[in-house]
Amino acid sequence: MSEKVEPSLAVLFVCLGNICRSPMAEGAFRQAAREAGLDCRVDSVGTAGYHIGESPDPRAIATARKHGVDISGLQGRQLAPSDFEEFTHIFALDTANLAGIRSRAPRSAESQISLLLDAVPGREGQTVADPYYGDEEDFERVWRDISVAVEHVVEKLKGGG
Ligand code: 4NP
């Protein structure tokens, strides 16, 4: 009897610098997936290469830590052509990142590319605001947006979609 082999899930979060929003999304998603028993590869990248090899912003690390998630070991990486082969789902944190991802996607790309907040009913098309020039409350707001969104994404992926 032959078994149907499903392509394994691999989720990529994309922001501009890969030091604030997308590492927070990676950490929040990893925790939500673990709690839901969803087996899934997770990573994050930036569309820009300003912070390659760097740790997340200390404010992002502190905010995630406050919510029980350690992202201090992550390292900045830039979106690469191979990401479109390796990741089944690519989530942009804002509309500029979405445009940047789409403009770099090879014709052959099969990844599902969408805006993260599209996963949240009533928030379709919205952006997770860039907190880089903001304060602690802006990072908290990012965490709130992201944690709601990743719960929806995990539910959707658990349901096969
Ligand atoms: P992120 O935030 O895209 O959420 O990682 C930013 C990080 C760095 C810069 C801009 C946004 N920057 O201009 O260096």
Side-chain angles (χ1 to χ4, degrees), residues 74-159:
L74 301 182
Q75 278 196 336
R77 173 168 93 72
Q78 188 173 15
L79 181 67
S82 57
D83 289 323
F84 293 96
E85 291 165 25
E86 293 182 19
F87 290 90
T88 55
H89 295 73
I90 299 179
F91 293 100
L93 275 287
D94 71 33
T95 51
N97 308 140
L98 182 64
I101 297 163
R102 290 212 164 117
S103 71
R104 283 177 234 190
R107 272 171 195 276
S108 58
E110 288 181 6
S111 322
Q112 286 186 36
I113 301 168
S114 62
L115 202 55
L116 179 60
L117 285 176
D118 282 349
V120 183
R123 300 205 59 189
E124 298 88 348
Q126 292 184 18
T127 274
V128 176
D130 184 349
Y132 188 62
Y133 295 105
D135 58 19
E136 205 177 304
E137 179 48 33
D138 295 301
F139 278 81
E140 268 305 322
R141 194 171 300 122
V142 167
W143 187 267
R144 281 200 298 275
D145 283 353
I146 281 171
S147 43
V148 169
V150 299
E151 292 293 341
H152 284 279
V153 171
V154 166
E155 278 311 304
K156 217 180 247 186
L157 295 179
K158 274 198 87 170

Side-chain angles (χ1 to χ4, degrees), residues 15-22 50-51 130-133:
C15 62
L16 175 63
N18 192 213
I19 55 166
C20 298
R21 292 166 292 174
S22 62
Y50 312 137
H51 300 284
D130 184 349
Y132 188 62
Y133 295 105

